[in-house]
Amino acid sequence: MSRYLGDFILPEIDRLNEPWFTSGKLMVQVCNDCGNTQHPPDDVCYGCGSFSMGFQELAGTGIVESAVTVWHAAHPDLADRVPYVVAIVSMDGAPGCNAIGNIVNARPDQVEIGQKVNVVYEHAGENLQIPQWELSEPTPPNEGARKPAGA
């Protein structure tokens, strides 16, 4: 499989990230010994040092912990996507596990820290499914817009 989609480099799939990028489910690594969940996946448990690792499906929901709006396209092929929001999401059911992804189907002024989100998948390449996030309850138009100082 080509590791490019147009001019974009796609993630190299390996035994550790395959469930995350190809299952169409929100899969995180779990330690078979202590139950610690972790993301990104690794050969060793961050909690107890075990090498006995598996994967667990999560509900596909989370909370926006941090967000930044991208205003300038890093590549000409992204020009029609700006502005877009990149967020750090704490995933429900996996304490301490955060994922980075885009908030899709929402304007930047609708995204706020603390909002609930649901996972959605962006299909890329042959079987690659990139987890992205969508607001569970979008903010009504203009309600989430920041007011200028002194207003």
Short mmCIF file of all heavy atoms in Angstrom, two decimals, residues 109 112 142-151:
data_model
loop_
_atom_site.label_atom_id
_atom_site.label_comp_id
_atom_site.label_asym_id
_atom_site.label_seq_id
_atom_site.Cartn_x
_atom_site.Cartn_y
_atom_site.Cartn_z
N ASP A 109 -15.49 28.84 16.30
CA ASP A 109 -16.10 29.56 17.43
C ASP A 109 -17.13 28.72 18.19
O ASP A 109 -17.63 29.14 19.22
CB ASP A 109 -16.72 30.89 16.97
CG ASP A 109 -17.92 30.74 16.06
OD1 ASP A 109 -18.20 29.62 15.58
OD2 ASP A 109 -18.59 31.76 15.80
N GLU A 112 -15.32 24.59 22.42
CA GLU A 112 -14.88 25.09 23.72
C GLU A 112 -14.31 23.95 24.56
O GLU A 112 -14.75 22.79 24.43
CB GLU A 112 -16.05 25.73 24.46
CG GLU A 112 -16.60 26.96 23.77
CD GLU A 112 -17.76 27.58 24.51
OE1 GLU A 112 -18.09 27.10 25.62
OE2 GLU A 112 -18.35 28.53 23.98
N ASN A 142 -23.14 31.72 16.81
CA ASN A 142 -22.73 32.95 17.50
C ASN A 142 -22.72 32.86 19.01
O ASN A 142 -22.20 33.74 19.67
CB ASN A 142 -23.58 34.14 17.05
CG ASN A 142 -23.43 34.41 15.58
OD1 ASN A 142 -22.35 34.27 15.04
ND2 ASN A 142 -24.52 34.73 14.92
N GLU A 143 -23.32 31.85 19.63
CA GLU A 143 -23.32 31.75 21.09
C GLU A 143 -21.93 31.45 21.62
O GLU A 143 -21.58 31.87 22.70
CB GLU A 143 -24.30 30.67 21.54
CG GLU A 143 -24.62 30.76 23.01
CD GLU A 143 -25.75 29.83 23.38
OE1 GLU A 143 -26.85 29.97 22.83
OE2 GLU A 143 -25.51 28.96 24.24
N GLY A 144 -21.12 30.69 20.85
CA GLY A 144 -19.78 30.35 21.30
C GLY A 144 -18.73 31.37 20.90
O GLY A 144 -17.57 31.24 21.26
N ALA A 145 -19.13 32.41 20.16
CA ALA A 145 -18.15 33.40 19.69
C ALA A 145 -17.64 34.22 20.86
O ALA A 145 -18.38 34.59 21.76
CB ALA A 145 -18.80 34.31 18.66
N ARG A 146 -16.36 34.48 20.84
CA ARG A 146 -15.74 35.29 21.90
C ARG A 146 -16.04 36.77 21.63
O ARG A 146 -15.95 37.24 20.51
CB ARG A 146 -14.25 35.04 21.95
CG ARG A 146 -13.93 33.58 22.19
CD ARG A 146 -12.67 33.45 23.00
NE ARG A 146 -12.10 32.15 23.17
CZ ARG A 146 -12.70 31.02 23.41
NH1 ARG A 146 -13.99 30.95 23.45
NH2 ARG A 146 -12.04 29.90 23.61
N LYS A 147 -16.35 37.50 22.70
CA LYS A 147 -16.62 38.92 22.57
C LYS A 147 -15.31 39.70 22.70
O LYS A 147 -14.45 39.31 23.49
CB LYS A 147 -17.60 39.36 23.66
CG LYS A 147 -18.96 38.74 23.46
CD LYS A 147 -19.95 39.27 24.45
CE LYS A 147 -21.32 38.78 24.11
NZ LYS A 147 -21.91 37.88 24.91
N PRO A 148 -15.16 40.79 21.96
CA PRO A 148 -13.94 41.59 22.07
C PRO A 148 -13.80 42.18 23.47
O PRO A 148 -14.80 42.43 24.14
CB PRO A 148 -14.12 42.70 21.03
CG PRO A 148 -15.35 42.39 20.27
CD PRO A 148 -16.08 41.30 20.97
N ALA A 149 -12.57 42.40 23.90
CA ALA A 149 -12.32 42.99 25.22
C ALA A 149 -13.02 44.34 25.30
O ALA A 149 -13.00 45.12 24.35
CB ALA A 149 -10.82 43.14 25.44
N GLY A 150 -13.64 44.60 26.43
CA GLY A 150 -14.31 45.86 26.65
C GLY A 150 -15.73 45.90 26.11
O GLY A 150 -16.42 46.91 26.23
N ALA A 151 -16.20 44.79 25.53
CA ALA A 151 -17.56 44.79 24.98
C ALA A 151 -18.59 44.47 26.03
O ALA A 151 -18.35 43.89 27.01
CB ALA A 151 -17.67 43.79 23.84
#
